[in-house]
Each structure stands twice: as C-alpha cells, then as structure tokens.
Amino acid sequence: MFTAAFKTLQACPNLTEPNNTWEYFIKYGIPAASALMIIICCGCMCFLKTKYKFSLLKLRRREVEIQAIAVANQNSTLHHTVSLNPYVEIAKDSRQNSHEPNDRWEVAPHALFIDTSDKLGSGAFSTVYKGILIGRVPVFDVYEQRTFASDFIINNEVAVKVLPNHADSVSKQDFLNEIGFMKNLGYHGHIVSMLGCITDPKEPCLVVEYCANGDLLKFLHKNKPNFMESASEECPLGVDGCIRMKDLLSFAWQISDGMEYLSSHDYIHRDVAARNILLTKKLAAKIGDFGLCRVADQALYTTKGGRLPIKWMAIESLKQYTYTTKSDVWSFGVLLFELFTLGDGPYPAIQPLDMISHLEAGNRPSRPALCSENLYDLMSSCWQAEPALRPTFSEIRSKLTSMLDTATEHYGYLDVQNEVEVEQKAEMK
Ligand code: ADE
C-alpha cells in the first residue's frame, strides 16, 4: 500500500488539487494518521506518569500512617492497649531485633523446599505453603536446652509463609517485622512456633510448624457427625476417630494455655477464633495467625480500611477500637462457644452493624446444648461488659484444668491410645 502511495506521490508532485483516492490519502490521510499517533503516544505517557505519581503517593501515605501509629503507641499510657494496625507491637519488638542475615534463625535457602502446589492458607498479604526443611533446624539451635513436642521432628514437614511476587517495599518491611515478632515470641507447645526464617529482603520466608490436621473450625465441622456425647459409646467401625466432650475440653485447655503464655509476655492476639487454631497430626491445638495470614473463607467484616472479626470482638474493641488482653479473653469466650456448638458461628441472626447495640442491650450467645452450667458460667464471665471483671487466662486455665480432671475421672482414666492427652496431663501437673 505504501509503495503504491509513494509511486503516486512521485507521479503527482503537485497535490494542491487531489484527483483520486491515493492523492486524497496522501494529502489528508497520512498527516491525520501521524497526528493521531502523536496524540495517542502523548496520552499514554501522561497516563503512565500519573499512575506512577499515584503509587508513590500511596506508598508515602502508608509510611506516614505507620509512623503515626508507632508514635501514638509510644505516647500511649494505656498498658496493653494498641491500635487497629496489626503490626504495631511487632514494629516495637523489631526495634530490638536486627535482621542480621547470619543470625541463628536463618535457614539456608537451598535447605528449604516449598511446594507451591500445596497451598495451606492465604490472605491479602501472604500465602502459606507446605514445605520440607532439610538439615539444620534453627529453633533447635536457638533453644538448645529445650525438648520439643513438635511433629516436625518426625518428617521434616514445615509450613512456609511467603509474600506474593508483586509485594511492595512496605509489605516486605511489615513481613520482616512479623519475623522479628516471631523470634521474640519464643517457643511454646500451644503456639504455632517459628522454626526458622530467610530474611533476604528480596524473598523473605517465615518457616513455622506444620499442623497436619488444619484449622479447628474445619475440624469441628468435619467431625460433627462423629461426635459421641456419651463416654461409653463405641466409635462406629470405619470412622477415623470420634470426638468426645473431653476432647473439646482438652482443646479449650490447650488454647487457654497458649493464651496464658501470650498474655504473660504482653502480647495481644486480636483475632482469637477457632479458624485461627491449628491442629497437629496428634491433635495438639496451637494458636496461629499472628497478624498477616487469614484463612480466606471466613467472613470478616470491613470497617476503617481493615478486616475485622466483628462477632468475636469485645464491646470496647467495637466501640473504641481498643484491644487488651481482656479483649482477647472476650474472644476466647466466643471460641468456647464455637467449640461446644461444634463450629457454629455466634449471633447468626444479627447483622455485623447491629452488634454494638445488640451487646449493649445485654445480649450474649445462649448456652450451647453440649455445654455444662459450669462451663457456661466460665464462657459468660469472658463477656462481662467491664473488662476488669473478666477472668485472666491463668484463672481460665485453672478452671478448665479442674473441669478436665472431673471429666476424665467421670469417664474412667484417660485411654492410653491418645498420646496427646497423656502429654497434656503431664504438662498440667
Ligand atoms: N495453614 C496456615 N498455617 C498452617 C500451618 N502452620 N500448618 C498447617 N496449615 C496451615
């Protein structure tokens, strides 16, 4: 086409009076097409420049927000009280914690295999995959004197939390802060503990214990048909395992033990719920999800730009956005409700936006059918409107200890087949 146009141009140098289509094309078409192309190019450049400016602005705004929250927390006189940002106390801890690439927590990248086809959980900012860690396990070096009741010892299975490829520098810094927080948290048998990490700023990884039985909420749903109310009832043939009252009590006790550890170290979890408790192969319950990763299918209500577990939140957290160990106690009460309803959600008929007025009118979840009066008293005490009147985790744990003892006496002694219970009894004594 262009050759033909060129030939026409040669044959007809004077185009003041175009006579045919080619001459019209040369006189008007080519200049118009060129002008159009120049306009499109300018438009694209303007669009890209504006987009770049916006992302810079967004980045700066997030940095300023984080700094403002850190300053607000430094100035705060309220012990235990933190703001909505899940990473504030992590940031505080990370100041004591430099991310030395050669520190004892560091895993050699070639020793860690991440199975990206086996996704265990994902959230807005990170994904957890199953992995295998070969060779040295940093946590064993860091706590040389301890014995570990971790399934990890058996077959090198780990869970690895990573950031998406497109993570920006702020998400990377948040993640490095979370790693710093996990280092400070230390090891506890009822917390999903850190085994090691890779703090290469390009591709940071957090390696934690793998919990083969997944989260407690799904476990309760799955085993609801296999719940045996009576201790003497035989588990039907062909069923993998049955859960009984004492198993539920045992989960409650283990979680209270993990929460006692967290609260005694001044940590506030802020999302205590069955979906955030993980179960190991031997059914040990461990508190997980320290801020970044959420199990995707839970409906969390959104306000103030964050995802909030409205129906698990204490009344003062809903009203004033304050979080304390006592607001964790409230959420623990809701977790007890989930346990003894075998995974029902609280307040099914109430809209999240109506929760404040519902609670202020004195309403609380009613006693689940499987729950004794004693246990319901404990549950209800966690939902006292006045935080100071709620029990401490240490009190909750000792109440659960006596209930567990009564339950096991009532059922005859613990069956030896369940190693976990035997381990727990040993721990509790
Ligand atoms: N999902 C999220 N974290 C997990 C873990 N540590 N083990 C098993 N499943 C998980």
Side-chain angles (χ1 to χ4, degrees):
M1 185 182 85
F2 283 103
T3 332
F6 186 67
K7 278 183 187 156
T8 315
L9 192 65
Q10 277 182 328
C12 175
N14 183 0
L15 285 181
T16 43
E17 286 301 322
N19 296 321
N20 57 39
T21 322
W22 278 119
E23 287 174 15
Y24 272 105
F25 175 68
I26 290 165
K27 186 164 182 199
Y28 302 113
I30 292 181
S34 313
L36 194 66
M37 272 174 68
I38 290 169
I39 291 169
I40 292 174
C41 286
C42 288
C44 285
M45 279 167 70
C46 284
F47 173 73
L48 287 176
K49 201 173 159 202
T50 320
K51 206 174 149 203
Y52 176 68
K53 262 191 179 167
F54 266 112
S55 42
L56 266 185
L57 269 177
K58 235 165 92 181
L59 203 71
R60 279 202 199 115
R61 212 177 56 212
R62 284 188 73 179
E63 275 166 4
V64 169
E65 267 170 26
I66 287 169
Q67 277 167 12
I69 287 162
V71 169
N73 272 282
Q74 272 171 9
N75 295 340
S76 167
T77 49
L78 277 176
H79 186 55
H80 280 338
T81 303
V82 292
S83 84
L84 259 186
N85 185 318
Y87 309 115
V88 173
E89 76 267 33
I90 297 170
K92 182 182 76 190
D93 285 337
S94 67
R95 265 177 256 133
Q96 305 147 12
N97 225 317
S98 62
H99 299 294
E100 297 286 335
N102 294 324
D103 80 10
R104 288 195 296 166
W105 282 104
E106 211 65 24
V107 166
H110 63 261
L112 181 65
F113 297 89
I114 304 177
D115 181 357
T116 48
S117 66
D118 196 349
K119 195 192 271 189
L120 302 173
S122 62
F125 303 105
S126 64
T127 307
V128 181
Y129 294 107
K130 173 109 177 271
I132 299 284
L133 180 60
I134 307 291
R136 181 185 152 271
V137 184
V139 72
F140 298 163
D141 284 355
V142 176
Y143 303 107
E144 277 167 304
Q145 311 298 327
R146 286 202 55 149
T147 49
F148 292 88
S150 177
D151 281 2
F152 172 78
I153 300 159
I154 306 167
N155 42 15
N156 291 27
E157 288 171 317
V158 293
V160 189
K161 191 183 253 193
V162 292
L163 291 175
N165 291 337
H166 57 266
D168 59 21
S169 57
V170 176
S171 312
K172 281 189 181 163
Q173 191 51 52
D174 283 347
F175 190 45
L176 288 174
N177 289 340
E178 188 189 1
I179 293 176
F181 164 77
M182 293 299 283
K183 286 181 188 173
N184 280 336
L185 193 57
Y187 182 88
H188 186 272
H190 296 127
I191 282 175
V192 179
S193 301
M194 174 171 169
L195 300 176
C197 60
I198 297 177
T199 51
D200 173 359
K202 276 194 231 115
E203 262 182 87
C205 290
L206 172 60
V207 184
V208 297
E209 294 174 284
Y210 171 63
C211 299
N213 268 303
D215 76 74
L216 175 62
L217 185 62
K218 290 205 187 98
F219 179 86
L220 291 172
H221 288 160
K222 195 175 94 193
N223 286 287
K224 205 166 183 164
N226 308 331
F227 181 75
M228 297 283 136
E229 212 167 320
S230 138
S232 53
E233 217 173 324
E234 290 284 311
C235 201
L237 281 177
V239 170
D240 248 2
C242 288
I243 39 173
R244 297 168 192 270
M245 273 305 282
K246 63 182 166 64
D247 297 315
L248 299 181
L249 271 177
S250 164
F251 288 145
W253 183 88
Q254 295 177 61
I255 301 160
S256 72
D257 188 47
M259 286 309 300
E260 201 281 327
Y261 176 82
L262 278 186
S263 60
S264 68
H265 286 74
D266 280 351
Y267 289 121
I268 303 156
H269 189 283
R270 275 174 285 171
D271 198 1
V272 179
R275 61 182 169 270
N276 289 330
I277 305 298
L278 294 172
L279 300 175
T280 67
K281 200 170 189 167
K282 292 181 184 171
L283 293 187
K286 290 176 183 257
I287 300 162
D289 198 339
F290 293 89
L292 281 178
C293 193
R294 298 263 188 285
V295 177
D297 61 355
Q298 238 321 299
L300 296 172
Y301 194 74
T302 306
T303 108
K304 288 220 158 180
R307 275 150 50 84
L308 297 175
I310 296 288
K311 293 184 176 181
W312 279 256
M313 281 165 67
I315 193 159
E316 69 278 8
S317 311
L318 289 170
K319 286 167 71 184
Q320 291 120 26
Y321 307 105
T322 55
Y323 290 85
T324 64
T325 290
K326 294 292 188 177
S327 57
D328 274 351
V329 168
W330 178 297
S331 311
F332 180 82
V334 182
L335 190 157
L336 287 180
F337 175 87
E338 294 181 273
L339 260 178
F340 290 91
T341 53
L342 300 169
D344 284 357
Y347 324 96
I350 309 298
Q351 288 302 312
L353 280 176
D354 297 332
M355 274 305 293
I356 294 183
S357 53
H358 185 71
L359 294 174
E360 275 190 327
N363 296 301
R364 298 293 184 269
S366 44
R367 182 167 74 86
L370 295 177
C371 177
S372 66
E373 287 290 347
N374 249 355
L375 192 58
Y376 188 61
D377 286 348
L378 177 63
M379 204 183 278
S380 306
S381 67
C382 298
W383 302 324
Q384 293 270 8
E386 171 54 50
L389 297 179
R390 295 173 206 155
T392 62
F393 279 112
S394 170
E395 286 161 350
I396 293 174
R397 186 180 57 182
S398 51
K399 287 203 171 134
L400 288 167
T401 306
S402 13
M403 288 182 208
L404 196 56
D405 278 344
T406 325
T408 47
E409 272 159 29
H410 175 70
Y411 291 154
Y413 216 67
L414 288 167
D415 24 342
V416 190
Q417 79 197 33
N418 192 336
E419 295 162 64
V420 178
E421 287 165 351
V422 177
E423 274 173 22
Q424 282 158 15
K425 274 298 254 195
E427 270 180 64
M428 282 157 45
K429 290 208 161 145

